[in-house]
């Protein structure tokens, strides 16, 4: 795909749209496209009047489509990918996201709950319960948001306390012994304040079966009982002061993610090699395991934030402070076999604190502006333990444990501003500026190394365990509204993600990411707002993309992050909806993306005996990967859907929805190995049918997701060298059938 295709698409888009200009005035309000309000620009605007690439879904839309966790959202949001590794999930947008999972790693996509940044998100269906909407912003963000984001933002926005009584209760049942209980209650305290509480409890056997009958093992990799509780208090004073206090607690108990081996490359010390050779063949079905070790993944998170908003005449002030404490405990059968070879343990404790302050002008002014400041600090301690067994002529032996302490701190201070000037009634110009200062500090201590000499600790004489970065990023944009139903927008912006150093391995530094992004789009509505056609084109010039792999350095396992010198990501998206009449709605989305590395030299740790010398990082015998595809980006994807709703004779209402996704081939690592990294093109079809009983208090929903019952690799993780560098993966959820029953009191 030539580099010049983006301007061509932009010109074609602008030239072709007027041919759709038709209007009818005899349509009822029920036949028009729903108006979705968003706060992506820190003010209330409609989805159609927001001049950025954004997808938004109301809570009702999520319920109708049975989108109950972030992984389900992938079928509806262009270029969004959600994978999972060990004790957290990884989000990427247009190929930009999280690579490393060390204590000082940053994500390229910022995840928020109620405008509160979550550095290490964890959780399932509870995240999307009792919410007002989900907003997914694509492209660099930072001149409006407290946390800098190179690839985009995912913001989950909860329902807030109301001044009336409301209560809901629901239950879900489904395949694999799915059982979920959920409920909420909203209570007005007095005429100025109210409280709201919600909770979700979920159990599921899981979809990866474990054949082992060893003591402590489970039959499935699933959820033993996840509990999430959320409480909110809101106070509205007479002087335009609003106070919000929110507290969240989740306790997620499960067996974790199974390591399905895609290959078996035997390595490590001779006794370990001998024991690995006794393993039977792996099950052919990737959803069947034979792990002889108890597996668990227990993550407990408590967070709270306090928010004050105050109107001062034509100005609005915003102040929010947050605190989060997360503890996780993980155990995996590292060899994923019925032979007792290796067990991995990880314990992680994180404390994150942030403060954000903003002052903004009235949205009715000719010149609107926003000025903000942000501070974030996270302290994370990670303990890793690997137990390793081997076989000698004299019998089985146990090697001394590998023990690694990692203690890291990430600190960010930022100031940001943006302004929009109304040049004419139809033309607005905007500009934004951000200064970000990041500091990364870390300590690594190896307390055991399978009986081998210890690698150097950090800090040491060469690496101080301290690195600082700073960057000024900016955004320029223009938006033109030739009519009330058409918005044309364009922007140029820069993005940045802090660099760091390889804390878990050899201490080598890696550079910050730099992104130059160009965007052009058109949002339009036709046929008296029954037809919506939104088009967006983008071009990214990406420098120093951070790529992380697991390897062995100085005879010890650890993560190693390096930079891809240059990359290019370009593409366009079509998002359209058509309301045929009061009963039928049609949806069609298409995304085309060309994302590849222009300059990248790297070594696949799966290759025989890769040698890493921290004093000579350029002498790795690396492979030229220029032209390879960037991970997690399919070249094309198509999403179509249909919704039908009608009232039945007894006064009830039936709604049915069918969604179809086709996604092109993509790769999960930069090496683009055809057998290991490639995810073949696939389809996924979801369907729901909801019956609202007369009065709308009681609803019953039948759902089926992934009708094809097809599963795909979601992430590739290379096992460390003490077992042999072998690729493993996790797999997406197969077909699920279930029922949901909900009752609402008002």
């Amino acid at each position: 795909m030539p580099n010049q295709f983006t301007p061509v698409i932009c010109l074609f888009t602008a030239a072709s749209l007027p041919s759709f200009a038709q209007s009818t005035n005899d349509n009822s309000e029920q036949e028009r496209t729903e108006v979705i309000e968003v706060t992506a620009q820190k003010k209330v605007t409609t989805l159609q009047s927001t001049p950025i690439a954004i997808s938004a879904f109301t809570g009702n839309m999520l319920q109708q489509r049975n989108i109950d966790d972030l992984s389900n959202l992938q079928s509806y949001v262009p270029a969004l990918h959600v994978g999972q590794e060990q004790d957290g999930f990884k989000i990427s947008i247009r190929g930009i996201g999280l690579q490393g999972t060390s204590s000082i790693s940053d994500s390229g996509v910022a995840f928020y709950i109620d405008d509160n940044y979550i550095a290490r998100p964890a959780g399932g269906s509870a995240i999307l319960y009792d919410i007002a909407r989900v907003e997914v912003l694509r492209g660099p963000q930072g001149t409006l948001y407290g946390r800098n984001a190179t690839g985009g933002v995912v913001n989950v926005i909860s329902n807030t306390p109301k001044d009336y009584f409301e209560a809901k209760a629901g239950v879900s049942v489904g395949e694999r012994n799915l059982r979920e209980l959920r409920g909420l209650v909203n209570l007005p305290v007095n005429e100025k304040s109210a409280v709201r509480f919600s909770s979700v409890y979920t159990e599921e056997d899981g979809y990866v079966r474990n054949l082992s009958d060893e003591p402590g093992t489970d039959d499935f990799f699933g959820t033993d009982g996840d509990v999430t509780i959320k409480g909110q208090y809101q106070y509205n004073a007479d002087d335009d002061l609003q106070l919000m206090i929110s507290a969240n607690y989740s306790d997620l108990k499960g067996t974790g993610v199974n390591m399905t081996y895609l290959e078996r490359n035997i390595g490590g010390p001779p006794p370990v090699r001998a024991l690995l050779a006794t393993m039977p063949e792996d099950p052919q079905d990737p959803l069947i395991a034979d792990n002889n070790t108890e597996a668990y993944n227990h993550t407990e998170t408590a967070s709270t934030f306090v928010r004050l908003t105050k109107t001062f005449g034509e100005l609005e002030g915003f102040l929010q402070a947050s605190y989060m404490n997360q503890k996780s405990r993980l155990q995996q059968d590292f060899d994923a076999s019925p032979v007792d070879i290796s067990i991995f343990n990880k314990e992680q404790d994180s404390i994150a604190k942030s403060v954000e302050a903003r002052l903004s002008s009235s949205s009715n002014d000719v010149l609107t502006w926003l000025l903000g400041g942000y501070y974030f600090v996270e302290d994370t301690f990670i303990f890793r333990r690997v137990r390793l067994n081997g076989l000698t002529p004299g019998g089985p032996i146990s090697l001394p444990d590998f023990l690694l302490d990692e203690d890291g701190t990430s600190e960010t201070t930022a100031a940001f501003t943006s302004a929009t000037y109304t040049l004419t009634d139809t033309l607005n110009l905007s500009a934004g500026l951000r200064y970000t200062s990041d500091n990364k500090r870390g300590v690594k201590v190896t307390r055991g190394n399978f009986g081998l000499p210890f690698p150097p600790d950090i800090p040491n004489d060469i690496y101080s365990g301290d690195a600082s970065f700073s960057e000024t990023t900016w955004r320029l944009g223009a938006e033109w509204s030739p009519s009330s139903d058409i918005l044309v927008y364009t922007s140029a912006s820069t993005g940045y993600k802090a660099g760091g150093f390889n804390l878990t391995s050899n201490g080598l530094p890696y550079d910050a990411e730099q992104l130059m992004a160009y965007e052009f789009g058109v949002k339009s509505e036709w046929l008296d707002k029954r037809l919506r056609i939104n088009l967006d084109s983008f071009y990214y010039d990406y420098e120093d993309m951070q790529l992380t792999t697991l390897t062995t350095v100085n005879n010890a396992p650890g993560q190693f992050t390096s930079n891809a010198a240059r990359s290019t990501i370009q593409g366009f998206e079509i998002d359209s909806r058509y309301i045929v009449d009061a009963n039928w709605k049609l949806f069609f989305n298409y995304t085309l993306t060309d994302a590849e590395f222009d300059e990248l030299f790297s070594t696949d740790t799966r290759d025989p005996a890769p040698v890493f010398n921290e004093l000579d990082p350029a002498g790795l015998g690396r492979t030229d990967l220029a032209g390879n595809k960037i991970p997690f980006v399919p070249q094309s994807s198509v999403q179509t859907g249909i919704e039908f709703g009608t009232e039945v004779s007894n006064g009830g209402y039936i709604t049915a929805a069918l969604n179809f996704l086709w996604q092109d081939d993509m790769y999960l690592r930069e090496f683009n190995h055809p057998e290991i990294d490639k995810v073949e093109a696939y389809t996924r079809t979801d369907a729901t049918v909801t019956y609202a009983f007369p009065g709308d208090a009681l609803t019953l929903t039948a759902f089926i997701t992934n009708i094809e019952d097809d599963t795909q690799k979601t992430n590739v993780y290379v096992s460390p060298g003490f077992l042999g560098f072998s690729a493993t993966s996790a797999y997406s959820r197969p077909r699920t059938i279930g029922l949901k029953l909900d009752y609402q009191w008002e």
Side-chain angles (χ1 to χ4, degrees), residues 260-528:
T260 300
Y261 273 76
L262 305 175
E263 59 183 353
R264 289 286 188 178
N265 296 321
I266 294 179
V272 178
R273 290 172 178 259
L275 189 55
L276 286 167
T278 68
M279 290 188 305
E281 289 189 5
D282 292 324
Q284 295 298 308
D285 188 340
L287 300 187
I288 294 180
D290 193 355
N291 293 3
N292 69 329
T293 300
E294 178 187 7
Y296 57 81
N297 184 7
H298 183 188
T299 302
E300 187 176 16
T301 306
S303 64
T304 185
F305 72 82
V306 178
R307 178 192 303 158
L308 283 171
T309 57
K310 167 73 173 163
T311 301
F312 306 91
E314 297 297 316
L315 302 179
E316 181 177 292
F318 173 98
L319 178 63
Q320 179 169 292
S322 69
Y323 174 89
M324 185 182 78
N325 185 7
Q326 184 179 91
K327 299 180 179 180
S328 63
R329 303 292 181 265
L330 170 76
Q331 180 165 292
Q332 286 180 309
D333 185 344
F334 233 15
D335 56 273
S337 80
V339 183
D340 188 13
I341 303 174
S342 182
I343 300 174
F344 174 67
N345 290 95
K346 178 182 177 182
E347 299 182 5
Q348 178 172 305
D349 294 342
S350 297
I351 295 178
K353 293 169 280 190
S354 68
V355 178
E356 181 173 355
R358 300 195 303 264
L359 185 66
S360 58
S361 64
S362 169
S363 59
N364 298 322
D365 294 340
V366 173
L367 176 65
T368 60
W369 54 268
L370 178 147
L371 180 65
Y374 180 74
Y375 176 77
F376 171 85
V377 62
E378 181 187 38
D379 295 304
T380 301
F381 172 77
I382 302 177
F383 165 73
R384 295 178 177 89
R385 175 187 182 188
V386 179
R387 285 169 277 180
L388 194 60
N389 297 323
L391 184 63
T392 66
I397 63 168
S398 295
L399 279 70
D401 287 347
F402 171 80
L403 303 169
L404 177 70
D405 289 344
E406 176 192 350
D407 199 345
T409 297
S410 295
E411 187 173 18
T412 297
T413 304
F416 54 95
T417 184
S418 65
T420 300
Y421 181 71
T422 303
L423 192 63
T424 69
D425 291 340
T426 60
L427 180 62
N428 291 338
L429 304 177
S430 61
L433 194 67
R434 177 189 182 92
Y435 175 78
T436 307
S437 174
D438 289 293
N439 181 251
K440 306 288 187 179
R441 302 184 297 275
V443 174
K444 182 201 77 169
V445 178
T446 304
R447 295 188 287 111
N449 192 24
F450 307 124
L452 297 172
F454 289 180
D457 292 331
I458 298 174
N460 55 47
D461 292 339
I462 302 175
Y463 301 110
S464 65
D466 194 315
S468 296
F469 305 85
S470 64
E471 188 69 25
T472 299
T473 52
W474 53 267
R475 181 183 186 275
L476 295 175
E479 54 187 280
W480 176 52
S481 301
S483 74
S484 60
D485 293 328
I486 298 177
L487 173 67
V488 182
Y489 62 90
T490 185
S491 68
S493 59
T494 59
Y496 149 84
K497 185 171 83 170
F501 51 93
N502 285 285
L503 179 58
T504 66
S505 53
N506 59 6
L508 269 172
Y510 52 88
D511 295 331
E513 295 183 346
Q514 308 284 344
L515 179 67
M516 183 72 219
Y518 302 94
E519 202 106 10
F520 179 92
V522 179
K523 297 186 176 185
S524 62
E525 291 181 316
W526 312 91
L527 306 177
D528 200 23

Side-chain angles (χ1 to χ4, degrees), residues 16 22 29 46 48 72 77 132 143 182 191 215 223 268 278 296 355 490 494 562 564 590 608 627 639 662 678 711 726:
S16 62
Q22 304 178 37
E29 287 296 324
T46 66
Q48 287 301 102
N72 284 351
V77 177
T143 60
R182 54 190 175 272
E191 61 181 13
T223 301
T278 68
Y296 57 81
V355 178
T490 185
T494 59
S562 59
Y590 174 70
Q639 183 261 319
W662 174 83
K678 189 175 183 179
T711 60
S726 302

Side-chain angles (χ1 to χ4, degrees), residues 234-260:
Q234 182 168 297
Y235 174 76
N236 300 300
D238 293 331
D239 54 354
D240 294 322
L241 173 69
Q242 184 181 86
L243 168 67
M244 169 72 81
I245 302 175
S246 178
N248 295 268
Y249 173 80
S250 66
D251 190 8
L252 311 180
K253 298 178 180 179
T255 48
V257 180
N258 175 57
M259 295 178 64
T260 300

Side-chain angles (χ1 to χ4, degrees), residues 42-92:
K42 301 306 179 186
K43 60 182 178 181
V44 178
T45 58
T46 66
L47 186 64
Q48 287 301 102
S49 64
T50 306
I52 58 175
I54 177 175
S55 299
F57 303 87
T58 65
N60 185 54
M61 294 168 66
L62 296 174
Q63 183 176 358
Q64 288 179 351
R65 295 164 173 80
N66 194 46
I67 303 174
D68 57 359
D69 62 32
L70 291 177
S71 62
N72 284 351
L73 203 60
Q74 298 176 94
S75 298
Y76 299 85
V77 177
L80 174 68
H81 179 82
V82 181
Q84 189 166 5
E85 182 178 294
Q86 292 186 346
D87 51 354
F89 55 81
K90 303 168 66 173
I91 305 174
S92 67

